[in-house]
Amino acid sequence: MDDGSLDFKAAAAAQAWSLPIEAVNPAQAHLFAADAFWPIFERLRKDDPVHFYDSDTYGPYWSITKWDDIMAVDSNHQVFSSADGIVLQTLESKIEQEKRPRGSSFIAMDPPQHDVQRKTVSPVVAPSNLAALTPLIRERAGEILDGLPIGEEFDWVEHVSKELTAMTLATLFDFPQEDRRLLTHWSDMFTNAPGHGPAKSWEHKREQADACFARFTELWNERVNAPPKFDLVSMLAHSPETRNLPMVDFHSNVVLLIIGGNDTTRNTISGSVYALNKNPGEYDKLRANPALIPAMVSETIRWQTPLAHMRRTATQDYELGGKTIKKGDKVLMWYVSGNRDEEVIENPNAYIIDRERPRQHMSFGFGIHRCVGNRLAELQLKILWEEILPRFPQIKVVEEPRRVHSNFVKGYEQMKVIIPARN
Ligand code: HEM
């Protein structure tokens, strides 16, 4: 029974420790959905930190599971290229992808193209723009919270996490606010395999992707001949580095920004409520001292690790941890494991909101691809909690959340909560 029950978790743990090491496969989406994958990474960090596995679903790939080795890969883009993709694709989705013209977003590029395209959009998350966004995010967070039912069960993911992040993302794109939940919907369509989340089939995914691309093509056409404005579509349509790119590349950058600006922050928002419920002593600390909010946000980002891994491809043979990674091999940096590396982080499985160095985590990656939106993510979380604490003494998680079926997006599909009372 793979439902996250204790029996299932115990069986998964026993298997993780008893399999011959060469048979250990960390990329099993159903184990992530059941929160039962942790022992695999404990085993790999201990017994085989640079690990090779040839999977029927994904083909062969390396798993890097310790902090220092992940840093070595992430900060060496000459040897570990992003140009062949940054996630572990199933063989089935690769076949599907090859049926259609394919673009590239800058997360899946190396210098120099990566650098110039990243520069094109980064002003949207510059400190001055974050300062300008702050009152808007605060007002929206307040409105969302004031609209929540008291004493009644509801889904926190749906009503808070998705709502706030969709509003922010719509502002960044200057996408009509009334249609903002289309962004969330498309994000879920892109990240889910058929049969999971809202994606029913490959055809359904294709249809929805086409609808998204048609809508963004319209926005591009409106903005390309209008005076430049300060939104992501205008930036991409006007910058000399991106305005002449094929439409498929624009679409790929849209997908990157939709997923980057949405899923990750959404899952951290849900993760913060979940983690504080699992650790009531930490929730007490936070209530007693709201100055801990920024540290709590960082600790949640580490503890949650909203993107479990990023992938690279070796451009040459390379020795790591006594193994030879061959040119062309796929290499996964498992941030979710690096963040629990007991040699670097003290008591790494514990959620402790007043750690000495709360920003010591690898959830945003390192090197030239380090998350461009990291300060915006932190800002949304910080503001939301600054607005929650004076309103509600408690947000109670009433049952185990339903988790995303993915070894990449580590998050929550649904989390039922109840707010017993207002302050
Ligand atoms: C807690 C929230 C977030 C997490 C955990 C997260 C995580 C990451 C990670 C792991 C990477 C790749 C790092 C690497 O390869 O070294 C990344 C890149 C990126 N993220 Fe985020 N992200 C978050 C929020 C955001 C937000 C709010 C935005 C958009 C506004 C965003 C936009 C991007 C973009 C555009 C890239 C590509 C950067 C590049 O290739 O240079 N992310 N993010």
Side-chain angles (χ1 to χ4, degrees):
M1 185 178 55
D2 99 357
D3 59 356
S5 70
L6 289 179
D7 283 355
F8 179 77
K9 282 188 173 177
Q15 194 186 47
W17 286 102
S18 62
L19 278 176
I21 196 73
E22 63 279 7
V24 173
N25 172 19
Q28 300 185 65
H30 75 283
L31 292 185
F32 281 82
D35 198 35
F37 61 95
W38 298 104
I40 291 188
F41 290 110
E42 271 170 43
R43 169 102 193 266
L44 289 180
R45 284 196 302 276
K46 180 170 167 287
D47 292 346
D48 199 25
V50 178
H51 174 74
F52 181 80
Y53 183 74
D54 193 350
S55 152
D56 291 341
T57 316
Y58 300 101
Y61 68 94
W62 291 92
S63 283
I64 316 297
T65 50
K66 286 195 63 83
W67 179 283
D68 288 347
D69 293 334
I70 293 170
M71 290 282 264
V73 172
D74 215 353
S75 48
N76 189 348
H77 61 269
Q78 289 89 352
V79 172
F80 295 103
S81 161
S82 298
D84 190 47
I86 48 94
V87 292
L88 192 61
Q89 247 192 326
T90 62
L91 300 174
E92 195 189 357
S93 84
K94 218 168 166 183
I95 293 167
E96 196 55 36
Q97 193 181 50
E98 278 156 13
K99 291 183 191 159
R100 283 156 68 87
R102 192 181 165 190
S104 236
S105 69
F106 64 89
I107 199 170
M109 286 178 189
D110 295 329
Q113 299 103 304
H114 160 267
D115 306 9
V116 291
Q117 292 194 26
R118 177 177 165 120
K119 238 191 219 155
T120 297
V121 298
S122 44
V124 87
V125 284
S128 54
N129 202 40
L130 296 189
L133 282 171
T134 297
L136 193 61
I137 298 174
R138 190 174 300 286
E139 190 189 318
R140 289 169 174 173
E143 278 172 16
I144 293 171
L145 297 173
D146 288 338
L148 296 175
I150 301 297
E152 236 177 72
E153 222 176 270
F154 67 93
D155 179 10
W156 182 266
V157 174
E158 183 63 27
H159 293 281
V160 184
S161 309
K162 286 187 176 178
E163 195 54 1
L164 184 65
T165 49
M167 285 175 162
T168 306
L169 191 59
T171 298
L172 299 188
F173 277 122
D174 194 14
F175 192 84
Q177 278 295 334
E178 62 275 20
D179 292 338
R180 62 183 176 273
R181 293 301 284 266
L182 278 174
L183 299 171
T184 327
H185 170 69
W186 289 328
S187 183
D188 291 343
M189 290 301 299
F190 291 129
T191 54
N192 276 288
H196 299 284
K200 295 190 187 100
S201 60
W202 287 110
E203 199 187 354
H204 187 211
K205 273 172 76 81
R206 268 198 306 275
E207 273 167 26
Q208 296 300 306
D210 285 343
C212 168
F213 298 156
R215 188 73 189 262
F216 273 91
T217 302
E218 256 174 50
L219 293 178
W220 169 287
N221 288 337
E222 275 167 35
R223 291 180 196 171
V224 70
N225 295 316
K229 288 191 305 166
F230 201 72
D231 67 81
L232 288 166
V233 177
S234 294
M235 285 171 181
L236 290 164
H238 284 274
S239 157
E241 305 298 346
T242 47
R243 70 181 173 210
N244 297 319
L245 289 177
M247 255 312 148
V248 279
D249 286 347
F250 168 61
H251 293 157
S252 296
N253 277 327
V254 165
V255 175
L256 163 63
L257 293 161
I258 288 182
I259 299 173
N262 192 335
D263 267 59
T264 50
T265 313
R266 174 212 301 184
N267 288 321
T268 314
I269 291 176
S270 307
S272 62
V273 172
Y274 182 64
L276 289 166
N277 269 260
K278 286 272 160 193
N279 299 274
E282 301 305 296
Y283 206 166
D284 288 344
K285 274 189 208 165
L286 186 70
R287 274 188 288 254
N289 181 10
L292 283 172
I293 290 174
M296 178 279 285
V297 167
S298 290
E299 173 66 348
T300 306
I301 294 171
R302 179 192 74 84
W303 185 87
Q304 178 62 33
T305 317
L307 295 179
H309 73 261
M310 283 281 158
R311 198 197 104 197
R312 300 290 186 260
T313 305
T315 58
Q316 60 184 69
D317 290 3
Y318 191 82
E319 293 288 318
L320 188 67
K323 304 278 178 79
T324 305
I325 295 173
K326 291 279 188 196
K327 179 177 175 176
D329 283 356
K330 295 186 171 107
V331 180
L332 262 66
M333 304 174 287
W334 287 104
Y335 299 135
V336 71
S337 173
N339 274 336
R340 303 290 173 110
D341 185 341
E342 35 291 274
E343 283 179 22
V344 175
I345 304 208
E346 209 182 314
N347 198 2
N349 291 318
Y351 178 78
I352 305 172
I353 67 167
D354 51 357
R355 284 183 185 273
E356 242 167 63
R357 297 177 58 203
R359 296 194 95 239
Q360 185 195 25
H361 65 72
M362 43 179 43
S363 298
F364 293 130
F366 285 97
I368 61 166
H369 291 280
R370 182 172 162 82
C371 178
V372 80
N374 72 85
R375 294 289 179 180
L376 176 59
E378 291 171 344
L379 181 68
Q380 290 180 81
L381 263 293
K382 174 175 163 292
I383 293 175
L384 183 64
W385 275 97
E386 283 169 355
E387 296 302 312
I388 289 175
L389 289 181
R391 281 179 172 78
F392 310 132
Q394 197 187 12
I395 303 161
K396 234 167 124 178
V397 175
V398 295
E399 62 186 29
E400 270 300 291
R402 193 169 73 227
R403 293 180 164 81
V404 177
H405 186 274
S406 166
N407 57 41
F408 178 64
V409 172
K410 186 172 162 293
Y412 308 88
E413 280 187 346
Q414 186 190 67
M415 193 170 74
K416 294 274 182 64
V417 302
I418 195 161
I419 299 176
R422 282 187 220 283
N423 274 332

